């Protein structure tokens, strides 16, 4: 696999600048298109799964993280507090405390549970300069995050649902998990002390993995400070392993924030908090996608989905009309006119684009288009409307296939 740091820059997806700082990449237009397509997919999948989307601030008072436990257990990876009007505020290292406060801000009945809230939100980690690299280790992170507040009896079903969403996303992205890791606490003072709650959380996660028939490795010392987790591991071009997706069961923060719901018995009960991220940080996910696909992203994710190639200047007007039709359908489209070189040269230049729409004299006469697929297949001339319908149908279902031959 290629190194995403080299290829991502060569493909004009992202870059960095010393004046912005290490670990703070910026997204160029093509990279922004990939990121937006990925985020749009996740939001739509979450809506179908019954999630409600929210927004929360990237700052919080120091006291917030003292309550959550981050200040005690995670302080070395947080940015220093900023003094503001006699208070100290911190760039958040995690979204979960904000979401816990959202739940606490309203009264809840058991009939509302599970309550699933999701956010694509920024968080910040004070990573050391020596470990920063490209998109995989950054200081400003855009996290696909969600928290599910549910009854203890619902927790296993919610974990299973999150694992199913992860599997669906990996299929759409055409990527594979290297392994599943059950991340457990290890020795030392990194973890909150409540042995009984840890045992309950581990039992829920183990049951969900077993029910889905997923093999896993149990590894001590990799749990979050507040609870165990399932980590979906991937490998980069150098064979290094990292976590892409995660599901966690948390009994600790509901206690810390005194979260409650009214049960069927009319009495206050403590919810369980299930943390889940389908693709983890957008930065790390895109880095992995660059390396896995070498820039040949699934068509629904590609920065340019269709390139229009008029054979000669005589087809310029027809090519422009087809380009407008693509834009009207919401496709990301570009054109490559004859003055940029021979047809063969232009085809090579746009070899990473899923669909090359070639328009010559024959295609103009038929109000059609000759599609050349990224994998080298050349299709017979199709009516322009049919070609767009068939491309649109594949993109709508986030298919990893370039063409439906049925």
């Amino acid at each position: 696999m290629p190194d995403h740091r080299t290829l991502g820059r060569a493909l004009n997806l992202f870059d960095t600048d010393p004046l912005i700082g290490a670990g703070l990449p910026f997204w160029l237009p093509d990279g922004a298109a990939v990121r937006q397509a990925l985020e749009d997919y996740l939001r739509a999948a979450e809506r179908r799964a019954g999630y409600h989307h929210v927004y929360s601030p990237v700052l919080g008072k120091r006291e917030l993280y003292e309550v959550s436990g981050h200040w005690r257990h995670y302080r070395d990876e947080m940015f220093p507090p900023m003094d503001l009007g006699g208070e100290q505020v911190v760039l958040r290292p995690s979204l979960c405390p904000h979401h816990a406060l959202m739940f606490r801000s309203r009264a809840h009945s058991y009939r509302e549970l599970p309550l699933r809230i999701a956010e694509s939100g920024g968080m910040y980690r004070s990573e050391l300069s020596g470990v920063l690299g490209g998109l995989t280790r950054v200081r400003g992170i855009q996290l696909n995050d969600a928290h599910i507040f549910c009854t203890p009896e619902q927790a296993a079903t919610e974990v299973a649902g999150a694992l199913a969403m992860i599997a669906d996303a990996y299929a759409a992205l055409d990527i594979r998990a290297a392994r599943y890791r059950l991340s457990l606490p290890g020795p030392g003072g990194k973890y909150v002390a409540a042995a009984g709650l840890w045992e309950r959380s581990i039992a829920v996660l183990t049951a969900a993995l077993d029910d889905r028939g997923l093999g896993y490795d149990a590894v001590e010392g990799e749990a979050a400070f507040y609870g165990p987790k399932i980590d979906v591991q991937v490998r980069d071009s150098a064979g290094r392993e990292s976590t892409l997706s995660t599901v966690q069961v948390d009994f600790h923060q509901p206690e810390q924030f005194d979260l409650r719901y009214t049960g069927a018995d009319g009495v206050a009960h403590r919810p369980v908090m299930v943390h889940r991220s389908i693709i983890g940080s957008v930065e790390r996910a895109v880095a992995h996608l660059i390396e896995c696909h070498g820039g040949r992203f699934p068509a629904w994710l590609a920065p340019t989905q269709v390139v229009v190639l008029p054979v000669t200047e005589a087809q310029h007007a027809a090519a422009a009309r087809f380009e407008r039709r693509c834009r009207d359908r919401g496709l990301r489209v570009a054109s490559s006119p004859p003055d940029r070189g021979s047809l063969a040269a232009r085809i090579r230049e746009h070899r990473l684009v899923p669909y090359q729409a070639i328009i010559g004299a024959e295609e103009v006469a038929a109000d059609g288009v000759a599609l050349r697929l990224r994998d080298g297949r050349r299709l017979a001339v199709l009516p322009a409307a049919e070609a767009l319908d068939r491309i649109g149908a594949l993109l709508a279902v986030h298919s990893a296939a370039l063409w439906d031959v049925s």
Side-chain angles (χ1 to χ4, degrees), residues 28-43:
L28 296 166
D30 280 356
V34 173
R35 170 175 164 170
Q36 182 175 349
L38 182 57
E39 291 177 338
D40 288 347
Y41 165 82
L42 292 165
R43 287 191 185 95

Side-chain angles (χ1 to χ4, degrees), residues 137-158:
R137 292 293 291 270
V138 294
R139 288 172 170 158
I141 302 165
Q142 195 72 18
L143 188 68
N144 156 246
D145 205 11
H147 297 92
I148 304 163
F149 301 90
C150 62
T151 69
E153 295 76 21
Q154 294 168 332
T157 300
E158 294 305 310

